[in-house]
Amino acid sequence: MASIYGFEIKGLKTFVGRDGIGCQGNIYYNGKKVGWYNDSANGGMADIDFDGDRERRTKMELLLKEATRKYYERFPLTGQYADLEPNEDIFMEDLVNFTLDEKEFKKYQKDGYIGMAIYKKINEPYKAYTLLFKREKAIEEFQKRPDIERARIYTKDAFVITDESPQIQGDVQESSPNMGM
């Protein structure tokens, strides 16, 4: 299951809102349900509601804030988003996308693919592309392409991000070709 510093989204449902695609699902932390997430796609902020009493909700808010800080220190926002101050709303949106990417990649693994890249071409910031790989060499060659940006490259173990083991590869435009989002 896709996880970033212990946070997961389960039971994810997507729908069409007034301002794009919305989604909602349950928030889990280290395997336990701790709240609910709702992005109504209405142009406003998403709802991040934690369960429990005030003390428990405050604790979860602090854990989410810390996960957000660590995540964006490790994988800074790039491109047109580089000037934004990362916050919990952006983090949760990235977690949702991470979860959806994992679901898509699992379908392709059944057909023998070992990797998947989701990327944007330079000068086409609003169109995303997906490329599948059956060989390690093809992934290495893809990372050398000068015409792409904001690439996320996934392999079978890429969907758990912790302090101990960086799993995601990517952002081709950055100086570190082996990780980024």
Side-chain angles (χ1 to χ4, degrees):
M1 188 83 200
S3 172
I4 302 177
Y5 295 114
F7 284 94
E8 302 174 48
I9 295 281
K10 294 183 181 180
L12 189 63
K13 306 284 186 226
T14 59
F15 52 87
V16 177
R18 288 187 299 200
D19 195 24
I21 303 296
C23 64
Q24 54 188 215
N26 295 314
I27 302 170
Y28 282 72
Y29 182 72
N30 289 337
K32 295 183 180 179
K33 184 180 179 294
V34 295
W36 184 70
Y37 174 78
N38 178 50
D39 179 353
S40 299
N42 63 4
M45 300 291 287
D47 301 312
I48 302 170
D49 294 321
F50 290 112
D51 299 336
D53 60 17
R54 183 179 180 146
E55 183 178 325
R56 180 180 162 112
R57 289 191 315 266
T58 299
K59 178 182 176 186
M60 290 312 307
E61 288 168 1
L62 291 172
L63 286 168
L64 181 60
K65 187 177 286 288
E66 178 63 12
T68 300
R69 182 194 63 75
K70 289 180 356 182
Y71 180 71
Y72 289 108
E73 278 181 3
R74 190 165 167 185
F75 305 109
L77 293 170
T78 61
Q80 67 190 40
Y81 305 106
D83 293 335
L84 292 177
E85 181 70 30
N87 61 33
E88 294 76 19
D89 198 41
I90 296 171
F91 176 86
M92 291 302 290
E93 182 180 346
D94 279 350
L95 180 58
V96 165
N97 289 330
F98 198 47
T99 302
L100 294 172
D101 289 349
E102 179 188 40
K103 183 178 179 181
E104 183 175 354
F105 181 55
K106 283 185 176 194
K107 290 188 290 186
Y108 296 127
Q109 279 183 295
K110 293 175 185 175
D111 293 329
Y113 291 98
I114 64 163
M116 177 178 82
I118 298 174
Y119 64 97
K120 296 183 182 205
K121 291 185 178 180
I122 294 175
N123 299 323
E124 292 184 35
Y126 302 108
K127 185 172 182 183
Y129 295 89
T130 301
L131 187 61
L132 301 170
F133 306 100
K134 286 198 173 183
R135 297 175 296 118
E136 292 282 335
K137 182 84 172 152
I139 295 172
E140 292 170 18
E141 291 300 315
F142 172 79
Q143 288 182 310
K144 296 176 186 174
R145 287 181 51 180
D147 65 323
I148 58 176
E149 64 183 359
R150 293 192 45 83
R152 297 186 314 270
I153 302 173
Y154 299 109
T155 56
K156 69 176 182 157
D157 299 322
F159 294 95
V160 176
I161 296 176
T162 65
D163 287 329
E164 293 79 34
S165 56
Q167 298 294 324
I168 189 169
Q169 301 176 9
D171 213 326
V172 176
Q173 215 174 13
E174 296 297 315
S175 59
S176 173
N178 294 325
M179 28 184 233
M181 199 160 158

